[in-house]
PDB file of all heavy atoms in Angstrom:
ATOM      1  N   ILE A1378    -144.358 -32.060 234.681  1.00  0.00           N
ATOM      2  CA  ILE A1378    -144.290 -32.210 233.231  1.00  0.00           C
ATOM      3  C   ILE A1378    -145.674 -32.553 232.701  1.00  0.00           C
ATOM      4  O   ILE A1378    -146.334 -33.446 233.211  1.00  0.00           O
ATOM      5  CB  ILE A1378    -143.294 -33.310 232.848  1.00  0.00           C
ATOM      6  CG1 ILE A1378    -141.891 -32.941 233.336  1.00  0.00           C
ATOM      7  CG2 ILE A1378    -143.305 -33.544 231.356  1.00  0.00           C
ATOM      8  CD1 ILE A1378    -140.871 -34.027 233.141  1.00  0.00           C
ATOM      9  N   SER A1379    -146.120 -31.803 231.672  1.00  0.00           N
ATOM     10  CA  SER A1379    -147.426 -32.098 231.111  1.00  0.00           C
ATOM     11  C   SER A1379    -147.374 -33.415 230.334  1.00  0.00           C
ATOM     12  O   SER A1379    -146.314 -33.867 229.904  1.00  0.00           O
ATOM     13  CB  SER A1379    -147.895 -30.970 230.205  1.00  0.00           C
ATOM     14  OG  SER A1379    -147.203 -31.015 228.990  1.00  0.00           O
ATOM     15  N   ARG A1380    -148.535 -33.993 230.180  1.00  0.00           N
ATOM     16  CA  ARG A1380    -148.654 -35.290 229.503  1.00  0.00           C
ATOM     17  C   ARG A1380    -148.162 -35.219 228.055  1.00  0.00           C
ATOM     18  O   ARG A1380    -147.475 -36.117 227.589  1.00  0.00           O
ATOM     19  CB  ARG A1380    -150.117 -35.712 229.545  1.00  0.00           C
ATOM     20  CG  ARG A1380    -150.345 -37.119 229.202  1.00  0.00           C
ATOM     21  CD  ARG A1380    -151.789 -37.453 229.373  1.00  0.00           C
ATOM     22  NE  ARG A1380    -151.859 -38.840 229.772  1.00  0.00           N
ATOM     23  CZ  ARG A1380    -152.939 -39.439 230.108  1.00  0.00           C
ATOM     24  NH1 ARG A1380    -154.067 -38.795 230.122  1.00  0.00           N
ATOM     25  NH2 ARG A1380    -152.942 -40.694 230.445  1.00  0.00           N
ATOM     26  N   SER A1381    -148.497 -34.134 227.328  1.00  0.00           N
ATOM     27  CA  SER A1381    -148.079 -34.033 225.925  1.00  0.00           C
ATOM     28  C   SER A1381    -146.566 -33.918 225.803  1.00  0.00           C
ATOM     29  O   SER A1381    -145.966 -34.463 224.888  1.00  0.00           O
ATOM     30  CB  SER A1381    -148.781 -32.866 225.230  1.00  0.00           C
ATOM     31  OG  SER A1381    -148.434 -31.653 225.849  1.00  0.00           O
ATOM     32  N   ILE A1382    -145.931 -33.202 226.733  1.00  0.00           N
ATOM     33  CA  ILE A1382    -144.469 -33.095 226.691  1.00  0.00           C
ATOM     34  C   ILE A1382    -143.844 -34.455 226.976  1.00  0.00           C
ATOM     35  O   ILE A1382    -142.891 -34.870 226.324  1.00  0.00           O
ATOM     36  CB  ILE A1382    -143.972 -32.036 227.690  1.00  0.00           C
ATOM     37  CG1 ILE A1382    -144.402 -30.643 227.222  1.00  0.00           C
ATOM     38  CG2 ILE A1382    -142.460 -32.108 227.858  1.00  0.00           C
ATOM     39  CD1 ILE A1382    -144.107 -29.539 228.221  1.00  0.00           C
ATOM     40  N   LEU A1383    -144.421 -35.182 227.936  1.00  0.00           N
ATOM     41  CA  LEU A1383    -143.919 -36.519 228.258  1.00  0.00           C
ATOM     42  C   LEU A1383    -144.047 -37.453 227.054  1.00  0.00           C
ATOM     43  O   LEU A1383    -143.090 -38.136 226.690  1.00  0.00           O
ATOM     44  CB  LEU A1383    -144.676 -37.092 229.457  1.00  0.00           C
ATOM     45  CG  LEU A1383    -144.260 -38.499 229.888  1.00  0.00           C
ATOM     46  CD1 LEU A1383    -142.792 -38.521 230.304  1.00  0.00           C
ATOM     47  CD2 LEU A1383    -145.130 -38.958 231.027  1.00  0.00           C
ATOM     48  N   TYR A1384    -145.229 -37.463 226.413  1.00  0.00           N
ATOM     49  CA  TYR A1384    -145.427 -38.317 225.236  1.00  0.00           C
ATOM     50  C   TYR A1384    -144.495 -37.911 224.099  1.00  0.00           C
ATOM     51  O   TYR A1384    -143.936 -38.751 223.404  1.00  0.00           O
ATOM     52  CB  TYR A1384    -146.877 -38.269 224.748  1.00  0.00           C
ATOM     53  CG  TYR A1384    -147.840 -39.027 225.621  1.00  0.00           C
ATOM     54  CD1 TYR A1384    -149.139 -38.585 225.784  1.00  0.00           C
ATOM     55  CD2 TYR A1384    -147.464 -40.188 226.263  1.00  0.00           C
ATOM     56  CE1 TYR A1384    -150.027 -39.266 226.580  1.00  0.00           C
ATOM     57  CE2 TYR A1384    -148.339 -40.877 227.065  1.00  0.00           C
ATOM     58  CZ  TYR A1384    -149.629 -40.419 227.223  1.00  0.00           C
ATOM     59  OH  TYR A1384    -150.511 -41.102 228.006  1.00  0.00           O
ATOM     60  N   GLY A1385    -144.326 -36.600 223.928  1.00  0.00           N
ATOM     61  CA  GLY A1385    -143.419 -36.127 222.884  1.00  0.00           C
ATOM     62  C   GLY A1385    -141.997 -36.594 223.146  1.00  0.00           C
ATOM     63  O   GLY A1385    -141.276 -36.991 222.236  1.00  0.00           O
ATOM     64  N   GLY A1386    -141.586 -36.569 224.403  1.00  0.00           N
ATOM     65  CA  GLY A1386    -140.253 -37.032 224.759  1.00  0.00           C
ATOM     66  C   GLY A1386    -140.075 -38.518 224.516  1.00  0.00           C
ATOM     67  O   GLY A1386    -139.044 -38.967 224.011  1.00  0.00           O
ATOM     68  N   VAL A1387    -141.110 -39.277 224.857  1.00  0.00           N
ATOM     69  CA  VAL A1387    -141.059 -40.722 224.626  1.00  0.00           C
ATOM     70  C   VAL A1387    -140.980 -41.004 223.135  1.00  0.00           C
ATOM     71  O   VAL A1387    -140.191 -41.833 222.675  1.00  0.00           O
ATOM     72  CB  VAL A1387    -142.279 -41.427 225.260  1.00  0.00           C
ATOM     73  CG1 VAL A1387    -142.348 -42.880 224.822  1.00  0.00           C
ATOM     74  CG2 VAL A1387    -142.209 -41.332 226.777  1.00  0.00           C
ATOM     75  N   LEU A1388    -141.797 -40.290 222.348  1.00  0.00           N
ATOM     76  CA  LEU A1388    -141.785 -40.480 220.891  1.00  0.00           C
ATOM     77  C   LEU A1388    -140.426 -40.129 220.319  1.00  0.00           C
ATOM     78  O   LEU A1388    -139.876 -40.880 219.510  1.00  0.00           O
ATOM     79  CB  LEU A1388    -142.880 -39.632 220.239  1.00  0.00           C
ATOM     80  CG  LEU A1388    -142.951 -39.700 218.718  1.00  0.00           C
ATOM     81  CD1 LEU A1388    -143.200 -41.130 218.261  1.00  0.00           C
ATOM     82  CD2 LEU A1388    -144.035 -38.782 218.202  1.00  0.00           C
ATOM     83  N   LEU A1389    -139.862 -39.017 220.740  1.00  0.00           N
ATOM     84  CA  LEU A1389    -138.542 -38.622 220.256  1.00  0.00           C
ATOM     85  C   LEU A1389    -137.510 -39.683 220.612  1.00  0.00           C
ATOM     86  O   LEU A1389    -136.666 -40.045 219.788  1.00  0.00           O
ATOM     87  CB  LEU A1389    -138.154 -37.260 220.840  1.00  0.00           C
ATOM     88  CG  LEU A1389    -136.788 -36.735 220.413  1.00  0.00           C
ATOM     89  CD1 LEU A1389    -136.732 -36.564 218.903  1.00  0.00           C
ATOM     90  CD2 LEU A1389    -136.492 -35.420 221.113  1.00  0.00           C
ATOM     91  N   GLY A1390    -137.587 -40.211 221.833  1.00  0.00           N
ATOM     92  CA  GLY A1390    -136.665 -41.264 222.242  1.00  0.00           C
ATOM     93  C   GLY A1390    -136.789 -42.505 221.376  1.00  0.00           C
ATOM     94  O   GLY A1390    -135.793 -43.093 220.966  1.00  0.00           O
ATOM     95  N   LEU A1391    -138.030 -42.869 221.081  1.00  0.00           N
ATOM     96  CA  LEU A1391    -138.243 -44.044 220.219  1.00  0.00           C
ATOM     97  C   LEU A1391    -137.671 -43.807 218.830  1.00  0.00           C
ATOM     98  O   LEU A1391    -137.065 -44.689 218.228  1.00  0.00           O
ATOM     99  CB  LEU A1391    -139.729 -44.356 220.124  1.00  0.00           C
ATOM    100  CG  LEU A1391    -140.376 -44.934 221.372  1.00  0.00           C
ATOM    101  CD1 LEU A1391    -141.895 -44.987 221.207  1.00  0.00           C
ATOM    102  CD2 LEU A1391    -139.829 -46.316 221.655  1.00  0.00           C
ATOM    103  N   LEU A1392    -137.888 -42.598 218.310  1.00  0.00           N
ATOM    104  CA  LEU A1392    -137.371 -42.284 216.981  1.00  0.00           C
ATOM    105  C   LEU A1392    -135.848 -42.329 216.952  1.00  0.00           C
ATOM    106  O   LEU A1392    -135.254 -42.844 216.008  1.00  0.00           O
ATOM    107  CB  LEU A1392    -137.875 -40.908 216.531  1.00  0.00           C
ATOM    108  CG  LEU A1392    -139.358 -40.817 216.246  1.00  0.00           C
ATOM    109  CD1 LEU A1392    -139.755 -39.354 215.991  1.00  0.00           C
ATOM    110  CD2 LEU A1392    -139.758 -41.676 215.068  1.00  0.00           C
ATOM    111  N   LEU A1393    -135.214 -41.804 217.976  1.00  0.00           N
ATOM    112  CA  LEU A1393    -133.750 -41.801 218.019  1.00  0.00           C
ATOM    113  C   LEU A1393    -133.191 -43.203 218.188  1.00  0.00           C
ATOM    114  O   LEU A1393    -132.163 -43.545 217.605  1.00  0.00           O
ATOM    115  CB  LEU A1393    -133.267 -40.890 219.143  1.00  0.00           C
ATOM    116  CG  LEU A1393    -133.527 -39.397 218.928  1.00  0.00           C
ATOM    117  CD1 LEU A1393    -133.137 -38.609 220.170  1.00  0.00           C
ATOM    118  CD2 LEU A1393    -132.796 -38.878 217.709  1.00  0.00           C
ATOM    119  N   LEU A1394    -133.868 -44.017 218.996  1.00  0.00           N
ATOM    120  CA  LEU A1394    -133.397 -45.387 219.202  1.00  0.00           C
ATOM    121  C   LEU A1394    -133.487 -46.230 217.940  1.00  0.00           C
ATOM    122  O   LEU A1394    -132.699 -47.137 217.729  1.00  0.00           O
ATOM    123  CB  LEU A1394    -134.199 -46.062 220.319  1.00  0.00           C
ATOM    124  CG  LEU A1394    -133.874 -45.598 221.734  1.00  0.00           C
ATOM    125  CD1 LEU A1394    -134.862 -46.213 222.719  1.00  0.00           C
ATOM    126  CD2 LEU A1394    -132.458 -45.975 222.096  1.00  0.00           C
ATOM    127  N   THR A1395    -134.473 -45.945 217.118  1.00  0.00           N
ATOM    128  CA  THR A1395    -134.697 -46.780 215.944  1.00  0.00           C
ATOM    129  C   THR A1395    -134.158 -46.151 214.671  1.00  0.00           C
ATOM    130  O   THR A1395    -134.272 -46.737 213.602  1.00  0.00           O
ATOM    131  CB  THR A1395    -136.196 -47.048 215.761  1.00  0.00           C
ATOM    132  OG1 THR A1395    -136.867 -45.795 215.626  1.00  0.00           O
ATOM    133  CG2 THR A1395    -136.738 -47.824 216.937  1.00  0.00           C
ATOM    134  N   ARG A1396    -133.576 -44.984 214.762  1.00  0.00           N
ATOM    135  CA  ARG A1396    -133.062 -44.283 213.589  1.00  0.00           C
ATOM    136  C   ARG A1396    -132.056 -45.156 212.859  1.00  0.00           C
ATOM    137  O   ARG A1396    -131.147 -45.716 213.434  1.00  0.00           O
ATOM    138  CB  ARG A1396    -132.413 -42.984 214.018  1.00  0.00           C
ATOM    139  CG  ARG A1396    -131.966 -42.147 212.878  1.00  0.00           C
ATOM    140  CD  ARG A1396    -131.458 -40.827 213.378  1.00  0.00           C
ATOM    141  NE  ARG A1396    -130.769 -40.166 212.286  1.00  0.00           N
ATOM    142  CZ  ARG A1396    -129.796 -39.327 212.469  1.00  0.00           C
ATOM    143  NH1 ARG A1396    -129.409 -39.026 213.678  1.00  0.00           N
ATOM    144  NH2 ARG A1396    -129.221 -38.773 211.444  1.00  0.00           N
ATOM    145  N   GLY A1397    -132.265 -45.265 211.561  1.00  0.00           N
ATOM    146  CA  GLY A1397    -131.321 -46.003 210.749  1.00  0.00           C
ATOM    147  C   GLY A1397    -131.465 -47.507 210.835  1.00  0.00           C
ATOM    148  O   GLY A1397    -130.624 -48.241 210.359  1.00  0.00           O
ATOM    149  N   SER A1398    -132.566 -47.962 211.420  1.00  0.00           N
ATOM    150  CA  SER A1398    -132.735 -49.409 211.549  1.00  0.00           C
ATOM    151  C   SER A1398    -133.111 -50.070 210.237  1.00  0.00           C
ATOM    152  O   SER A1398    -133.034 -51.276 210.103  1.00  0.00           O
ATOM    153  CB  SER A1398    -133.806 -49.724 212.595  1.00  0.00           C
ATOM    154  OG  SER A1398    -135.069 -49.275 212.140  1.00  0.00           O
ATOM    155  N   GLY A1399    -133.548 -49.273 209.245  1.00  0.00           N
ATOM    156  CA  GLY A1399    -133.900 -49.840 207.960  1.00  0.00           C
ATOM    157  C   GLY A1399    -135.271 -50.470 207.936  1.00  0.00           C
ATOM    158  O   GLY A1399    -135.670 -51.057 206.945  1.00  0.00           O
TER     159      GLY A1399
END
Side-chain angles (χ1 to χ4, degrees):
I1378 298 174
S1379 75
R1380 194 176 212 174
S1381 62
I1382 292 173
L1383 179 61
Y1384 286 147
V1387 170
L1388 178 60
L1389 180 60
L1391 288 171
L1392 292 172
L1393 292 174
L1394 286 173
T1395 59
R1396 185 175 168 209
S1398 66

